[in-house]
């Protein structure tokens, strides 16, 4: 038992090896032999110019896209079966998009409960978790508001709240502050950092804001589909 | 929030679309329930007119319409003597139309008939009618017939080309009978130039379990007659069959049209929510869960349609029943089997309507759907 536990603790939450990805039947080569490991409980940022393949890499890690070749392990589980990938990761990964991807005419509460419906969690339990998170992100007064009535910064906080609903061990964030102004960016980033520390979450975040990237535990630079 | 709540939420968010989809099913249910119920009711009443406290009915072999059936009175008398038979009653049906009332059904029956003895006499009494003896021009009117002829007991009424004296007014549970004119058989025969025959004869048996035996004896002795037990009759009588099939067809087709509205609603619901479905997927919904959501929404629309449709049908049938012109012709009893059929059809329509939309929703690739804002 102890042995199993130990083994589990030592597995890297994210382990990408020799992944390639191209689109349009090989014409657009986006990732070229990318390998990457993320240590538990750390915040890793992925920098690079627009179009270098950051989003594609994060989507492969989160199971939204599949790799052409190479292997991806998330919490020690190989992501090969395309049909089951996303569903299999629903307890493990929370994804935060640049464009929040919330449902505009639903309320904050309704949006945030979606991940718990997916795993069939008891409503009362889900609501407890939701209110706890709403408090932590400072939106406890906005829970019944529709997303379309919230500001950009508030929306991104809601997206963070939704990503954390199922207590994932990994957060994948694709330019979470990309659409926000300087001041809001920093407050959203601060919130993410707090969560990484308090919930012992592992996080990989794409950004092209050098200042944010420098404040993370580790910074990776990407260019033309290769991690430098 | 649970799965079902999400489905309901989605339906509420697109209320107009949902209502239009539900309305299709509602109209389908109303059409089916009303058409089938009204026709079934009519058939049931007609059956009761024919069978009138008996187990078997005799009519002319190979005649598909009762009004053209001729059963000789002599044969009826002979059958009455057969073993195992309690009583055989002749009935001659005829229809008279005049300007004031388009259809008056005339029943030629024996003066002792159970149709008269078992009816409620509103004016006069059966005994009094029997005591008067045959005066050759008496009729007993059904309640509604008396009403539209504005006749009371003892007065003369005009039926077609002849005048009759009203010897009584009766009420039955049957719309056709209540709107009818009862004549002694001989009077009716003369009036319709059908001397010596009745349209049908109804047979009451001493022992119901011997029905098939009696039937065989009758058909052996009278090759040009056919004897059918009541149930057999209503299943075989081609007019009833045509009516029943037609009513189910009309109801079913109306239902299908309603089903198309659900399919349409669900297709719109999916095409308009591609991005949203991708969001569900990246938040942990499996393809099956997405399909389940679409089927769930579709079934909820169908369920709503059935409930509202059933409710409105009951209302509509009662309304029709209360209309003076239809008094007694409409039987508002909803056949439980019919209700079950409507619900089953709504269920199937709901499922079928969601088939393609759910398939389409399952095929949505989240990565593609989320790339563009
Ligand atoms: N589905 C796709 N089909 C074709 N090209 C794609 C697709 N997804 C991404 N790309 C291309 O891959 C490259 C990398 O995109 P992306 O990973 O979004 O970069 P980044 O997030 O670093 O800006 C871009 O040139 C983009 O146009
Ligand atoms: Mg990107």
């Amino acid at each position: 038992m102890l042995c199993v536990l130990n083994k589990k603790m030592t597995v890297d939450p994210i382990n990408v090896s020799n992944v390639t990805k191209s689109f349009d039947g090989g014409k657009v080569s986006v990732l070229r032999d990318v390998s990457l490991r993320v240590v538990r409980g750390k915040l890793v940022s992925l920098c690079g110019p627009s179009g270098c393949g950051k989003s594609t890499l994060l989507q492969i890690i989160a199971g939204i896209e599949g790799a052409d070749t190479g292997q991806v392990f998330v919490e020690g589980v190989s992501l090969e079966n395309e049909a089951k990938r996303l569903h299999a990761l629903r307890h493990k990964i929370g994804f935060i998009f640049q464009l929040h991807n919330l449902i505009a005419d639903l309320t904050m509460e309704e949006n945030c409960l979606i991940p718990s419906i997916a795993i069939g969690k008891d409503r009362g339990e889900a609501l407890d978790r939701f209110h706890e998170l709403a408090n932590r992100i400072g939106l406890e007064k906005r829970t019944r508001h529709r997303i379309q009535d919230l500001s950009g910064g508030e929306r991104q906080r809601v997206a963070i709240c939704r990503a954390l609903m199922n207590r994932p061990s990994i957060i994948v964030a694709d330019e979470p502050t990309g659409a926000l102004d300087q001041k809001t960016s920093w407050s959203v980033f601060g919130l993410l950092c707090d969560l990484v520390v308090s919930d012992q979450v592992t996080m990989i975040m794409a950004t092209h804001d050098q200042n944010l990237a420098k404040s993370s535990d580790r910074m990776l630079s990407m260019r033309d589909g290769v991690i430098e | 929030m649970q799965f079902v709540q999400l489905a309901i939420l989605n339906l509420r968010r697109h209320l107009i679309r949902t209502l239009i989809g539900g309305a299709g099913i509602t109209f389908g249910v109303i059409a089916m329930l009303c058409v089938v119920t009204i026709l079934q009711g009519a058939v049931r009443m007609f059956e009761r007119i024919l069978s009138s406290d008996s187990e078997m009915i005799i009519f002319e072999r190979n005649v598909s319409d009762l009004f053209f059936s001729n059963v000789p009175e002599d044969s009826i008398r002979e059958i009455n003597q057969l073993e195992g038979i309690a009583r055989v009653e002749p009935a001659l049906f005829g229809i008279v139309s005049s300007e004031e009332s388009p259809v008056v059904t005339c029943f030629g029956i024996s003066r002792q008939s159970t149709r008269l003895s078992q009816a409620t006499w509103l004016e006069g009494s059966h005994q009094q009618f029997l005591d008067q003896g045959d005066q050759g021009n008496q009729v007993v009117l059904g309640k509604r017939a008396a009403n539209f002829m504005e006749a009371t007991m003892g007065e003369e009424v005009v039926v077609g080309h002849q005048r009759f004296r009203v010897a009584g007014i009766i009420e039955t549970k049957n719309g056709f009978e209540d709107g009818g004119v009862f004549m002694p058989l001989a009077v009716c025969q003369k009036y319709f130039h059908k001397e010596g025959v009745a349209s049908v004869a109804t047979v009451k048996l001493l022992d119901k379990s011997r029905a098939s035996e009696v039937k065989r004896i009758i058909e052996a002795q009278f090759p040009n007659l056919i004897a059918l037990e009541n149930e057999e009759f209503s299943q075989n009588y081609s007019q009833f069959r045509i009516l029943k099939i037609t009513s189910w067809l009309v109801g079913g087709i109306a239902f299908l049209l309603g089903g198309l509205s659900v399919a349409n609603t669900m297709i719109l619901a999916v095409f308009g929510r591609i991005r949203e479905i991708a969001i569900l997927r990246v938040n942990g919904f499996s393809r099956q869960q997405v399909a389940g959501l679409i089927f769930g929404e579709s079934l909820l629309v169908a369920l709503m349609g059935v409930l509202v449709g059933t409710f409105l049908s009951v209302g509509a049938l009662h309304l029709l029943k209360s209309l003076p012109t239809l008094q007694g012709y409409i039987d508002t009893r909803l056949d439980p089997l019919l209700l079950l059929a409507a619900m089953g059809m709504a269920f199937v329509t709901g499922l079928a309507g969601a088939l393609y939309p759910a398939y389409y929703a399952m095929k949505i690739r989240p990565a593609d759907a989320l790339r563009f804002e």
Side-chain angles (χ1 to χ4, degrees):
Chain A
M1 183 67 201
L2 199 68
C3 167
V4 172
L5 208 67
N6 268 337
K7 198 172 166 197
K8 198 165 181 191
M9 294 308 285
T10 56
V11 165
D12 285 331
I14 299 172
N15 186 349
V16 177
S17 60
N18 310 106
V19 161
T20 62
K21 177 74 179 173
S22 57
F23 290 107
D24 296 336
K27 271 183 266 166
V28 187
S29 174
V30 179
L31 296 180
R32 298 177 218 173
D33 198 28
V34 171
S35 294
L36 157 77
R37 274 166 182 263
V38 180
V39 179
R40 188 169 304 280
K42 298 291 181 201
L43 166 52
V44 174
S45 57
L46 190 60
C47 295
S50 186
C52 71
K54 302 183 296 291
S55 295
T56 306
L57 177 58
L58 293 190
Q59 291 186 352
I60 287 174
I61 291 171
I64 297 172
E65 274 286 4
D68 292 344
T69 61
Q71 280 191 308
V72 182
F73 292 92
V74 170
E75 297 291 4
V77 178
S78 167
L79 302 187
E80 270 175 309
N81 184 340
E82 176 160 13
K84 291 188 179 139
R85 229 166 28 213
L86 266 179
H87 198 56
L89 291 177
R90 69 203 192 283
H91 289 284
K92 298 190 176 89
I93 290 189
F95 201 103
I96 301 168
F97 298 85
Q98 174 175 4
L99 303 159
H100 57 78
N101 277 330
L102 297 163
I103 300 173
D105 62 332
L106 292 188
T107 64
M108 171 183 168
E109 180 179 305
E110 287 159 350
N111 267 285
C112 289
L113 288 179
I114 287 172
S116 48
I117 298 174
I119 63 168
K121 191 156 150 186
D122 169 73
R123 180 181 162 81
E125 227 176 285
L127 276 176
D128 286 349
R129 172 70 175 162
F130 168 68
H131 288 297
E132 175 204 329
L133 288 172
N135 260 317
R136 276 165 67 185
I137 62 170
L139 287 180
E140 67 275 9
K141 296 225 163 64
R142 309 289 253 165
T143 58
R144 300 279 164 131
H145 287 239
R146 286 172 201 281
I147 297 305
Q148 62 207 17
D149 301 332
L150 300 181
S151 71
E154 286 171 329
R155 288 177 195 181
Q156 208 51 289
R157 281 165 202 264
V158 175
I160 292 170
C161 176
R162 182 182 63 183
L164 290 169
M165 276 299 289
N166 290 344
R167 298 179 195 277
S169 57
I170 301 168
I171 292 280
V172 176
D174 189 2
E175 307 204 33
T177 63
L180 305 178
D181 60 50
Q182 193 75 25
K183 187 163 158 266
T184 323
S185 285
W186 277 100
S187 82
V188 168
F189 179 68
L191 183 64
L192 280 170
C193 292
D194 290 349
L195 291 167
V196 167
V197 175
S198 67
D199 285 20
Q200 291 190 300
V201 176
T202 307
M203 181 155 107
I204 181 163
M205 174 181 81
T207 179
H208 53 233
D209 185 330
Q210 291 286 330
N211 291 326
L212 289 190
K214 279 175 192 149
S215 319
S216 56
D217 296 320
R218 188 177 156 211
M219 182 171 132
L220 297 171
S221 290
M222 212 173 160
R223 188 172 298 275
D224 287 336
V226 186
I227 291 183
E228 293 173 336
Chain B
M1 187 155 61
Q2 307 294 319
F3 207 75
V4 177
Q5 281 169 296
L6 180 61
I8 293 173
L9 181 63
N10 285 336
L11 293 177
R12 272 193 10 223
R13 283 163 70 205
H14 306 281
L15 198 58
I16 300 292
R17 196 156 75 192
T18 305
L19 289 180
I20 290 173
I25 292 274
T26 299
F27 287 127
V29 169
I30 293 177
M32 181 154 159
L33 293 187
C34 287
V35 169
V36 176
T37 300
I38 288 172
L39 287 182
Q40 269 184 352
V43 166
R44 213 159 32 224
M45 269 179 214
F46 208 68
E47 276 168 11
R48 258 188 280 139
I49 294 179
L50 292 172
S51 56
S52 166
D53 187 34
S54 67
E55 286 95 33
M56 205 182 271
I57 180 163
I58 296 173
F59 55 107
E60 190 177 346
R61 192 177 279 279
N62 301 330
V63 170
S64 69
D65 192 303
L66 277 168
F67 286 98
F68 297 113
S69 163
N70 290 317
V71 179
E73 257 186 295
D74 299 340
S75 309
I76 293 174
R77 243 173 264 124
E78 284 175 49
I79 292 168
N80 209 2
Q81 305 303 317
L82 292 177
E83 205 186 321
I85 285 178
R87 139 168 68 69
V88 181
E89 288 190 13
L92 177 58
F93 302 111
I95 285 181
V96 182
S97 64
S98 64
E99 257 170 60
E100 306 89 66
S101 49
V103 185
V104 177
T105 315
C106 295
F107 300 89
I109 51 179
S110 75
R111 297 165 57 83
Q112 294 79 18
S113 168
T114 46
R115 276 178 221 272
L116 295 179
S117 63
Q118 288 176 0
T120 310
W121 285 69
L122 301 176
E123 291 183 32
S125 73
H126 192 212
Q127 196 51 49
Q128 204 180 333
F129 176 65
L130 289 174
D131 290 347
Q132 282 171 358
D134 195 354
Q135 299 173 5
N137 68 339
Q138 291 163 303
V139 290
V140 173
L141 299 181
K143 178 188 167 194
R144 236 164 28 79
N147 232 333
F148 63 66
M149 290 175 167
E150 293 174 1
T152 52
M153 171 138 167
E155 280 183 354
E156 283 204 339
V157 288
V158 179
V159 179
H161 56 80
Q162 217 173 309
R163 298 181 148 269
F164 294 93
R165 187 164 295 280
V166 179
I169 294 171
I170 59 171
E171 184 177 9
T172 66
K173 289 194 178 64
N174 192 309
F176 289 104
E177 291 188 344
D178 272 0
V181 174
F182 297 85
M183 303 173 172
L185 183 61
V187 175
C188 195
Q189 284 170 338
K190 207 166 134 207
Y191 184 94
F192 288 105
H193 310 295
K194 289 228 174 188
E195 278 84 0
V197 296
S199 305
V200 299
T202 57
V203 179
K204 183 151 184 74
L205 300 170
L206 288 174
D207 179 3
K208 280 184 199 174
S209 62
R210 289 180 57 202
S212 52
E213 190 186 330
V214 172
K215 209 170 94 174
R216 235 175 301 133
I217 296 172
I218 292 174
E219 289 183 358
Q221 281 197 27
F222 305 92
N224 57 342
L225 296 183
I226 182 164
L228 289 175
E229 289 168 60
N230 287 343
E231 273 155 44
E232 225 179 340
F233 167 73
S234 63
Q235 275 163 22
N236 286 318
Y237 187 44
S238 61
Q239 314 279 29
F240 288 177
R241 256 208 326 245
I242 291 166
L243 270 182
K244 282 177 191 163
I245 291 171
T246 311
S247 70
W248 282 97
L249 264 182
V250 170
I253 287 169
F255 217 116
L256 277 185
L257 293 178
L260 285 182
S261 79
V262 176
N264 196 41
T265 300
M266 292 319 297
I267 284 175
L268 287 177
V270 169
F271 285 11
R273 285 198 322 212
I274 289 174
R275 191 180 177 84
E276 195 179 308
I277 288 166
I279 291 176
L280 293 181
R281 289 293 311 282
V282 296
N283 280 287
F285 270 61
S286 65
R287 284 164 205 248
Q288 287 77 4
Q289 280 176 311
V290 166
L293 189 67
I294 304 300
F295 277 116
E297 288 177 21
S298 181
L299 286 178
L300 280 172
V301 169
L303 181 71
M304 190 182 79
V306 166
L307 291 182
V308 176
T310 305
F311 189 75
L312 291 181
S313 298
V314 170
L317 285 171
H318 272 97
L319 198 78
L320 286 176
K321 193 186 183 183
S322 70
L323 287 181
T325 41
L326 292 175
Q327 208 96 68
Y329 282 98
I330 287 186
D331 193 338
T332 47
R333 262 179 308 163
L334 268 184
D335 185 355
L337 217 75
L338 174 63
L339 210 57
L340 213 70
M343 292 193 167
M345 268 182 91
F347 184 75
V348 171
T349 335
L351 282 184
L355 223 51
Y356 176 68
Y359 173 78
Y360 188 92
M362 280 174 80
K363 288 276 164 206
I364 291 173
R365 285 192 72 240
D368 295 337
L370 293 178
R371 188 165 313 122
F372 308 103
E373 179 77 320

